[in-house]
Amino acid sequence: MSAGAVVTVLELVGLYVFATSGALMAIHKGFDVVGIVILALLTALGGGILRDVIIGDTPPPAFAHLTYLGIPLAAAAVTFFIHPLAQRLSFTVLVFDAAGLGLFCVTGTLKAFEHDLGPIQAVLLGITTAVGGGVLRDITARETPALVKADTHLYAIPAAAGAVAVAAAHEAGLPMPPVAVAAAVFVFAFRLAAMLRKWTAPRAWQRRPPADPS
Amino acid sequence: MSAGAVVTVLELVGLYVFATSGALMAIHKGFDVVGIVILALLTALGGGILRDVIIGDTPPPAFAHLTYLGIPLAAAAVTFFIHPLAQRLSFTVLVFDAAGLGLFCVTGTLKAFEHDLGPIQAVLLGITTAVGGGVLRDITARETPALVKADTHLYAIPAAAGAVAVAAAHEAGLPMPPVAVAAAVFVFAFRLAAMLRKWTAPRAWQRRPPADPS
Amino acid sequence: MSAGAVVTVLELVGLYVFATSGALMAIHKGFDVVGIVILALLTALGGGILRDVIIGDTPPPAFAHLTYLGIPLAAAAVTFFIHPLAQRLSFTVLVFDAAGLGLFCVTGTLKAFEHDLGPIQAVLLGITTAVGGGVLRDITARETPALVKADTHLYAIPAAAGAVAVAAAHEAGLPMPPVAVAAAVFVFAFRLAAMLRKWTAPRAWQRRPPADPS
């Protein structure tokens, strides 16, 4: 499979899993079917549109190709019917979000390189693409974004690690299809492990208990 | 009246009513006059700037023509003095928001066509223009956006219906001035009816009560 | 010192103080080190990226020069260790935010002029640059933005005053280095005075107590 085809597949799977995380969040919050569709689309497309607007690639492909709409819609529909299979919705949201994180930090970084940006910029845009959809989903659903929440077990670090790995491999001229897949899987596993083993990043010394209600 | 003039009038009225919804929301939340002006400007201009940035039409006209500032400011001023006429502020916000929804889903869709986008893209951008200002207003005022709130009676569906109607009429070559006005009125009426008759869209099966506090 | 060098220095100091306000907010909310870094970067770069995307200057310089990353990171690191020196974190956030407000309303207005925008547009973009980072910080940290909060003592008015002063001086051909520094100091002092003397802007007449919980 060619490098471009691999990246496209990763991006489509990323759209699906992020849309699923958005739909699950909407169901968890009791939104109606319209809210479910909107949150699915916003989570799936948000990070990519943010990146495209920053790069200057307007109108973004999400508005140009029906696939970018069809896949999140399909994910929302599937989730609408099979979500009772999930025991704890809020945890399942994070599992699908972790998958999207891995896939999009890879495709986002690679897309930045396609637009002739340097490695540091590509890493930043890869991270932005990976976390952007989740942040928009959380803010719209009135949750503290998983990106910054006090008890989040490592969210941006796995995304950053994946983006850095992909950028380094790109600069070193390594073959991208296996690197891309490996990085996506690695980030997903890293994030899942952090969630399950409750790895946390250090906090600042607190004089009094923190003010965050969540 | 020419097609362009009709669209311009619709857009100016849309700016006014959306600004009024923002000012009413700010007064409802007890914001000072600066917060009232800001929320009025944000609601009136937010959806259009979002659409312009996505299309690539930068700097957006809102930053180029004083009318785009003057009309929301006038609306904020008028609202500042006559808002006690409204019995229930939160409901009145939604009435003005419904009017803006109708007007902007039409003008947003038409603007996308002016930039040579296809019908599906035009519909998406019309919906974005219509709901964007309201979402920004709600997020800034710390409300769950009416777009996704659990007990919202059909918000995006009327906007989508209007955008689709305008896009279909455009593709069929129908004369736009009457279609544009009719679509705006239809969306406004549709949304008002949904609010008053409490039409709701289906929800997903819930194992336990939903987690949304509002 | 040349005009360009003065503006650059003002911008770098602005990055530092806004990043500090973001880091302090994150520590106040109990975020971990990743959340602290993210909130610092978001507050420092958010207003500028918003302005650059609206102007059409993409990719924004923040993604092109390491200094734009290094300074917020340094501010976050310093804040991480010396924040216990602050007696009241939430007040200290606002002090650093006031400094950033002054610096960025000046540099934002001047950057708009560099891109050949007119004075009204430059003022609007200067205000956007000044308040944008703080709004993004507050929304992400789940606070009502200081920009619109009911008990905020004059936030946008000082920023607007500074932007207007800079634009007027630019149109009058006054030498910019002293004007820029004076305007930044003036806005900082104006905002601090408003905070300490609790100056408020008028509110609208309220039939019942306002609905804002904060």
Side-chain angles (χ1 to χ4, degrees), chain A residues 105-114 117-127 159-176 179-180 183-184 187:
Chain A
C105 76
V106 169
T107 60
T109 308
L110 290 175
K111 176 155 187 179
F113 279 124
E114 283 171 32
L117 297 177
I120 306 254
Q121 297 164 301
V123 166
L124 287 177
L125 282 159
I127 297 173
V164 166
V166 167
H170 180 272
E171 295 296 289
L174 294 180
M176 197 44 70
V179 168
V187 171

Side-chain angles (χ1 to χ4, degrees), chain B residues 20-212:
Chain B
T20 302
S21 79
L24 286 170
M25 169 79 82
I27 293 169
H28 179 58
K29 295 275 185 179
F31 293 171
D32 63 20
V33 70
V34 175
I36 294 170
V37 165
I38 285 171
L39 220 53
L41 284 169
L42 188 63
T43 314
L45 303 177
I49 292 180
L50 207 57
R51 172 206 60 217
D52 293 337
V53 163
I54 288 175
I55 286 181
D57 181 20
T58 51
F63 282 81
H65 304 293
L66 285 187
T67 319
Y68 282 90
L69 293 179
I71 287 189
L73 286 175
V78 169
T79 309
F80 186 85
F81 292 110
I82 73 168
H83 71 92
L85 294 176
Q87 288 300 321
R88 283 183 299 151
L89 276 181
S90 53
F91 182 79
T92 315
V93 167
L94 294 178
V95 173
F96 279 88
D97 179 271
L101 208 69
L103 292 157
F104 270 19
C105 76
V106 169
T107 61
T109 306
L110 290 175
K111 177 156 188 180
F113 278 123
E114 284 172 31
H115 284 262
D116 296 322
L117 296 177
I120 306 254
Q121 296 163 298
V123 166
L124 287 178
L125 282 159
I127 298 174
T128 301
T129 313
V131 306
V135 172
L136 287 170
R137 172 198 67 220
D138 294 342
I139 287 179
T140 304
R142 278 194 85 194
E143 286 258 332
T144 306
L147 181 68
V148 293
K149 210 157 77 171
D151 55 351
T152 301
H153 306 113
L154 299 194
Y155 190 84
I157 290 177
V164 166
V166 168
H170 180 271
E171 294 297 288
L174 294 178
M176 198 44 71
V179 168
V181 174
V185 172
F186 163 72
V187 172
F188 177 51
F190 187 175
R191 169 71 182 141
L192 269 188
M195 282 164 57
L196 295 169
R197 291 177 176 273
K198 303 195 187 307
W199 292 339
T200 52
R203 293 191 191 184
W205 180 81
Q206 292 283 338
R207 176 177 292 124
R208 61 180 71 89
D212 186 26

Side-chain angles (χ1 to χ4, degrees), chain C residues 67-145:
Chain C
T67 318
Y68 282 89
L69 293 180
I71 287 190
L73 286 175
V78 169
T79 310
F80 187 85
F81 291 111
I82 72 169
H83 73 92
L85 294 176
Q87 287 301 320
R88 282 182 302 151
L89 277 180
S90 53
F91 182 78
T92 316
V93 167
L94 294 177
V95 172
F96 279 89
D97 179 272
L101 207 70
L103 291 157
F104 270 20
C105 76
V106 168
T107 61
T109 307
L110 291 175
K111 176 154 187 180
F113 279 123
E114 283 172 32
H115 284 263
D116 296 320
L117 297 176
I120 306 256
Q121 296 164 298
V123 166
L124 287 178
L125 282 159
I127 298 174
T128 301
T129 313
V131 305
V135 172
L136 287 171
R137 173 198 67 219
D138 294 343
I139 287 179
T140 305
R142 278 196 85 192
E143 287 257 334
T144 306

Side-chain angles (χ1 to χ4, degrees), chain A residues 94-102 158 183-193:
Chain A
L94 294 178
V95 173
F96 278 89
D97 179 271
L101 208 70
V185 172
F186 162 72
V187 171
F188 177 52
F190 187 175
R191 168 71 182 140
L192 269 189

Side-chain angles (χ1 to χ4, degrees), chain C residues 2-73:
Chain C
S2 78
V6 169
V7 172
T8 302
V9 168
L10 293 181
E11 184 152 32
L12 298 182
V13 178
L15 285 177
Y16 187 90
V17 293
F18 259 147
T20 302
S21 79
L24 286 169
M25 169 79 82
I27 291 170
H28 180 58
K29 295 275 184 178
F31 293 171
D32 63 19
V33 70
V34 176
I36 294 170
V37 165
I38 285 171
L39 220 54
L41 284 169
L42 188 63
T43 315
L45 302 177
I49 292 180
L50 207 58
R51 173 205 60 217
D52 294 336
V53 163
I54 289 175
I55 287 182
D57 182 20
T58 50
F63 281 82
H65 304 293
L66 285 188
T67 318
Y68 282 89
L69 293 180
I71 287 190
L73 286 175

